[in-house]
Amino acid sequence: MKINLLNFTLPKLEKFFEEIGEKKFRAKQVFRWLHVYGAENFSDMTDIAKTLRAKLEDIATIDVPHLVSEQISSDGTRKWALEVGNGNKIETVFIPEDGRGTLCISSQVGCALECQFCSTARQGFNRNLDAGEIVGQLWWANKRLGKDPKGEKLITNVVMMGMGEPLANYENVIDAMRIMLDDNAYNLSKRKLTLSTSGVVTRLDWLGDDCPVALAVSLHASNDEVRDRIIPLNKKYPLNELIAACKRYLAKSPKNYVTFEYVMLKDVNDHVEHAHELIKLARGLECKFNLIPFNPFPNSGFESSSWSQILRFQKILQNGGYITTVRKTRGDDIDAACGQLVGKVHDKTKRQEKWKNYIPVKEV
Ligand code: SAH
């Protein structure tokens, strides 16, 4: 089988070039062609000798996921569906804002964690994405978006907040993020690359050592009783362990705070007492809160908190000394909002069986 060069970080590509008897600096040239210029074929690489191009053609590929569809929301948000083999599809979302553009990237086909309020979870899990499939989303988005009138790239920030739990696909996500950060590739800064996790505690420690980027944690509850119910992973890694891991992470993080995401679920986690409990829970930890209105999907069993309740909750956290923002819902007319990414997953966990009468699997 041919080797997909998009899977390689620069050091790994250099090693590969050495193994095939080529000079190391050639690897850097090829790496730049792949990621800076978005080359689709070896024949595009005009400053690489023809003999080397032919050799690469024989043993390697530039294998990006297949682009199936592009949807553009009335607010400018774009969503792409990418086919990653065997009919599986993943989704990637671009969110333009004043002065910045954020790309939301998927890390797995589906998700194995069964967070109750998330539609990706309902689809079950098929497999991890490889590094090339993760980076391939950024590769495609750059290609589709082009540059702004000043010749600048439109994507300034990347968030690992699409389908899947990034820390459950650790090695591929780390390699993909290293490629995103490489100045011979996408040259993102560590502060503008955010990994969001539901709280795989042991791997948070690894992340701090291997590739410290900005951290967002899907907290969503102020006590274990509620969190156990909505995020089953909490039974393995309860809140006190998660908070302790966040504190350890901050010692290595490029930012001096952790962002806590908190989806506002009516009568589940949105009471005044919950806000006070959160203030106590986070004491001693530099953090910001980002309240997310719940994005509904069929038969979720949840409702979003009302605006007045969200604003009341925000006020309490602010009075408690925490910077607290409310996430603007973007792209909901094309189902591109948080927790609405579904793609198409050939479920291996049989979880879809349970839900199949309720959730239509969307064709894109
Ligand atoms: N598995 C990682 C990455 C997914 S990030 C994580 O849990 O952090 C996607 C974010 O959207 C998470 O904070 C998730 O909890 C949140 N989310 C999931 N379903 C949602 C919904 N229906 N409405 C609003 N936010 C949701």
Side-chain angles (χ1 to χ4, degrees):
M1 223 176 64
K2 291 190 182 181
I3 303 239
N4 182 12
L5 297 191
L6 279 186
N7 279 324
F8 288 139
T9 58
L10 182 54
K12 287 186 180 174
L13 191 65
E14 287 173 341
K15 190 161 166 269
F16 174 70
F17 268 56
E18 276 172 359
E19 279 163 12
I20 61 169
E22 295 292 336
K23 297 245 159 37
K24 219 172 144 183
F25 79 94
R26 293 279 174 222
K28 191 187 275 183
Q29 275 179 304
V30 169
F31 193 70
R32 290 182 63 85
W33 271 113
L34 296 175
H35 301 293
V36 179
Y37 306 111
E40 294 172 37
N41 301 296
F42 294 113
S43 56
D44 295 344
M45 304 180 178
T46 44
D47 59 357
I48 307 282
K50 278 216 176 107
T51 46
L52 174 54
R53 279 192 255 157
K55 184 170 173 183
L56 289 174
E57 202 86 60
D58 276 350
I59 56 173
T61 57
I62 304 171
D63 213 357
V64 283
H66 179 65
L67 182 65
V68 198
S69 69
E70 175 176 72
Q71 286 170 277
I72 305 183
S73 156
S74 55
D75 67 14
T77 300
R78 292 199 200 198
K79 182 170 83 170
W80 296 281
L82 302 168
E83 149 105 52
V84 289
N86 298 327
N88 286 308
K89 286 178 199 147
I90 52 160
E91 295 188 326
T92 307
V93 178
F94 174 69
I95 306 137
E97 287 168 291
D98 278 349
R100 69 173 186 186
T102 303
L103 190 70
C104 178
I105 286 186
S106 295
S107 56
Q108 298 182 307
V109 182
C111 190
L113 304 181
E114 301 190 355
C115 301
Q116 299 296 302
F117 47 83
C118 180
S119 61
T120 304
R122 290 278 169 92
Q123 292 200 294
F125 174 73
N126 184 278
R127 67 171 175 87
N128 284 330
L129 293 176
D130 60 30
E133 290 166 331
I134 298 170
V135 165
Q137 299 170 59
L138 179 52
W139 187 99
W140 262 122
N142 271 327
K143 187 148 287 214
R144 296 297 304 166
L145 292 167
K147 304 227 165 126
D148 72 7
K150 286 190 203 137
E152 304 281 341
K153 277 191 190 159
L154 288 157
I155 298 166
T156 57
N157 296 57
V158 169
V159 292
M160 300 298 302
M161 290 191 189
M163 296 165 71
E165 165 51 52
L167 294 184
N169 179 15
Y170 190 76
E171 279 171 23
N172 295 332
V173 164
I174 294 292
D175 275 0
M177 293 200 305
R178 286 182 173 153
I179 298 171
M180 293 179 202
L181 296 169
D182 198 311
D183 50 7
N184 285 297
Y186 302 92
N187 199 17
L188 279 177
S189 93
K190 283 184 174 166
R191 299 169 53 82
K192 293 187 171 182
L193 174 53
T194 301
L195 182 142
S196 177
T197 178
S198 50
V200 191
V201 163
T202 45
R203 295 188 177 183
L204 264 177
D205 288 317
W206 300 357
L207 182 71
D209 292 332
D210 294 336
C211 190
V213 292
L215 179 67
V217 171
S218 295
L219 195 63
H220 304 328
S222 56
N223 61 54
D224 285 320
E225 195 195 329
V226 175
R227 201 162 190 270
D228 279 352
R229 192 146 58 86
I230 59 177
I231 305 180
L233 183 71
N234 194 66
K235 293 182 195 140
K236 194 162 176 196
Y237 302 114
L239 280 169
N240 61 349
E241 289 182 25
L242 179 57
I243 298 293
C246 289
K247 288 184 182 161
R248 291 193 297 276
Y249 190 83
L250 276 186
K252 297 162 184 169
S253 168
K255 282 195 171 171
N256 59 357
Y257 61 89
V258 172
T259 302
F260 283 133
E261 295 158 282
Y262 198 94
V263 61
M264 295 296 292
L265 303 168
K266 184 177 176 199
D267 288 336
V268 175
N269 64 0
D270 68 341
H271 292 168
V272 166
E273 304 82 76
H274 293 133
H276 289 295
E277 214 170 25
L278 274 181
I279 293 172
K280 271 202 211 128
L281 181 72
R283 196 166 282 157
L285 172 65
E286 285 297 322
C287 63
K288 292 184 183 176
F289 287 93
N290 190 208
L291 307 180
I292 315 176
F294 171 65
N295 293 309
F297 54 91
N299 296 290
S300 70
F302 294 101
E303 272 179 68
S304 178
S305 312
S306 66
W307 263 111
S308 59
Q309 190 60 17
I310 295 175
L311 295 178
R312 186 177 309 151
F313 205 87
Q314 180 186 30
K315 195 99 231 132
I316 299 171
L317 293 176
Q318 286 173 334
N319 290 341
Y322 292 100
I323 293 177
T324 306
T325 48
V326 179
R327 187 176 292 177
K328 251 195 265 155
T329 295
R330 300 288 304 264
D332 52 343
D333 55 343
I334 54 168
D335 287 342
C338 305
Q340 292 187 320
L341 300 187
V342 289
K344 184 170 182 180
V345 177
H346 290 291
D347 180 30
K348 287 188 168 166
T349 59
K350 300 223 161 63
R351 189 159 163 78
Q352 269 176 34
E353 282 297 304
K354 191 169 150 198
W355 297 104
K356 79 172 174 224
N357 296 328
Y358 305 106
I359 304 288
V361 175
K362 242 181 352 157
E363 292 292 339
V364 277

